[in-house]
Amino acid sequence: MVIYERPVRMEDIDAAGIVFFPRFFVYAFEAMEHFVNDVPGRHLELFTKERIGFPVVRAACDYRVPLRYGDVIRMAISVTKIGTTSCSFRYDITRVPDGADVATVEHVVVATDLKTLTKIPLPDDIRSLLGAHLIT
């Protein structure tokens, strides 16, 4: 499991003063980018040099507690499934410092050749990183 923390920023908030629901998917993407960078600089290299992307093909979120501007969230990132070309992530989001169980985001990504927009096998180093964080 990898941990990613970030504050709730002004641009995350809607007219009701709470985090606008689609921002949770932005948080998940940020956390995934952080996760892949456990192999330092790898996300940038995959995208810019090798032209490999990981578009989301399925996303879901269960919301439990609202967040407000200034809250800090902690995301525990886990891998729930690894396929030939895809993998599934889960992000358990809590509020720091009270530990409130805020939400769970799940999404599936597919390794994609960005030139042809076709799926490709997961790169070996990414597969290894994913395997190190696979939960059952």
Side-chain angles (χ1 to χ4, degrees), residues 53-121:
F54 296 92
V56 174
V57 296
R58 181 188 174 282
C61 186
D62 292 319
Y63 307 92
R64 290 180 281 284
V65 175
L67 292 170
R68 291 178 166 63
Y69 174 67
D71 285 342
V72 176
I73 60 171
R74 176 175 294 133
M75 300 178 72
I77 310 156
S78 303
V79 177
T80 59
K81 185 178 179 183
I82 304 170
T84 303
T85 62
S86 66
C87 64
S88 301
F89 288 95
R90 185 176 81 209
Y91 308 86
D92 294 307
I93 304 171
T94 56
R95 186 173 52 214
V96 176
D98 69 355
D101 180 13
V102 173
T104 301
V105 177
E106 296 178 310
H107 74 220
V108 178
V109 298
V110 174
T112 302
D113 179 323
L114 294 176
K115 293 177 219 154
T116 63
L117 296 180
T118 56
K119 65 183 178 179
I120 59 173

Side-chain angles (χ1 to χ4, degrees), residues 6 10 18-19 27-28 34-36 41-42 44 52-53 56 62-63 72 81 87 91 105 111 113-114 120 123 134:
R6 76 172 317 274
M10 185 62 75
I18 60 176
V19 171
Y27 298 162
H34 171 79
F35 177 92
V36 174
R42 189 64 172 127
L44 180 62
I52 296 172
V56 174
D62 292 319
Y63 307 92
V72 176
K81 185 178 179 183
C87 64
Y91 308 86
V105 177
D113 179 323
L114 294 176
I120 59 173
L134 183 64

